[in-house]
Amino acid sequence: MDLELKAYLESLRHDLMAHAEQMNRSTRQDLSQQMDGMRQDLSQQMDGMRQDLMTHAEQLNQDTRRDLMTHAEQLNQDTRRDLMTHAEQLNQDTRRDLMTHAEQLNRETRQHAEQLNRETRILVEDLHHQIQLVAEGVTTVNEKFDRFHDEVEAQIFGLDKRVMRLEAQRRSGSDT
């Protein structure tokens, strides 16, 4: 009886799986068709809205251009008139101020140039003196270095002679 029950249950499970698979396919197809329909409806609605928006935008664009051109022309005329008036006054004031400042600047420039010339001469003389001191220091260091080099070379020569004597003694001691 266990085997019959197992076989029956297995058959029932197999039927349920097949039925579930069939329902799954059917549901997917239905959902796919519904989604396609919704996409088409949405696309048509969006196309209509897009067309309405484009028409409205074009009308706004034309109205805005017309208003801007009118205002720009009026502003242009007013601005030209004001600019001409202010430019003439500014031109006169600028000429007068430039002449005054140019004279003052020339006086100050001459004074600064004379002062700078004096300070430069002093700095050059001081720099020349410092360069002479450095050159003397370099000469002194070179002389000390040469003496040190000679001393070290003499010590190395002396050490070299001692090493050679020791090696000679060791060889003669090992020969006997």
Side-chain angles (χ1 to χ4, degrees):
M1 172 134 161
D2 283 336
L3 289 176
E4 283 180 24
L5 183 60
K6 276 186 175 181
Y8 173 73
L9 288 175
E10 184 61 32
S11 171
L12 188 57
R13 188 181 71 75
H14 185 275
D15 290 344
L16 281 173
M17 291 296 283
H19 183 65
E21 181 64 32
Q22 179 60 32
M23 286 181 65
N24 190 11
R25 269 188 250 124
S26 175
T27 302
R28 283 186 186 165
Q29 288 175 350
D30 290 346
L31 284 174
S32 178
Q33 289 172 354
Q34 287 177 359
M35 291 295 286
D36 288 343
M38 290 171 66
R39 280 189 195 111
Q40 289 175 354
D41 290 344
L42 184 59
S43 178
Q44 289 172 354
Q45 288 175 358
M46 287 177 63
D47 287 343
M49 290 170 64
R50 190 177 293 126
Q51 187 61 37
D52 291 345
L53 186 60
M54 293 298 286
T55 303
H56 186 65
E58 183 59 35
Q59 184 60 43
L60 279 174
N61 192 10
Q62 291 174 2
D63 292 347
T64 303
R65 276 192 184 136
R66 186 176 54 250
D67 290 348
L68 281 175
M69 291 301 286
T70 303
H71 290 299
E73 184 58 37
Q74 184 61 42
L75 279 173
N76 195 6
Q77 291 172 4
D78 293 346
T79 303
R80 277 191 186 130
R81 186 178 54 252
D82 291 347
L83 279 175
M84 292 303 284
T85 303
H86 291 300
E88 184 57 38
Q89 182 62 40
L90 194 67
N91 193 11
Q92 292 171 4
D93 293 346
T94 302
R95 281 188 183 144
R96 185 178 55 251
D97 290 347
L98 279 175
M99 293 303 288
T100 303
H101 289 300
E103 291 170 3
Q104 178 65 26
L105 188 60
N106 281 339
R107 282 192 300 273
E108 289 174 4
T109 301
R110 276 189 236 111
Q111 290 172 355
H112 287 299
E114 291 170 1
Q115 179 64 28
L116 186 61
N117 196 10
R118 284 189 295 271
E119 291 173 3
T120 302
R121 283 188 197 132
I122 292 170
L123 288 173
V124 167
E125 289 174 12
D126 184 50
L127 187 60
H128 181 68
H129 177 71
Q130 290 177 8
I131 289 171
Q132 283 178 330
L133 290 175
V134 168
E136 290 172 5
V138 167
T139 302
T140 302
V141 167
N142 279 343
E143 289 172 357
K144 287 180 180 180
F145 181 74
D146 289 342
R147 282 194 306 270
F148 177 74
H149 180 265
D150 292 343
E151 289 173 11
V152 168
E153 195 173 78
Q155 288 177 358
I156 289 173
F157 182 73
L159 288 173
D160 204 22
K161 283 172 59 176
R162 286 179 60 197
V163 166
M164 287 172 43
R165 253 187 275 132
L166 287 172
E167 285 177 349
Q169 286 175 359
R170 190 172 51 111
R171 274 192 236 131
S172 67
S174 64
D175 288 341
T176 57

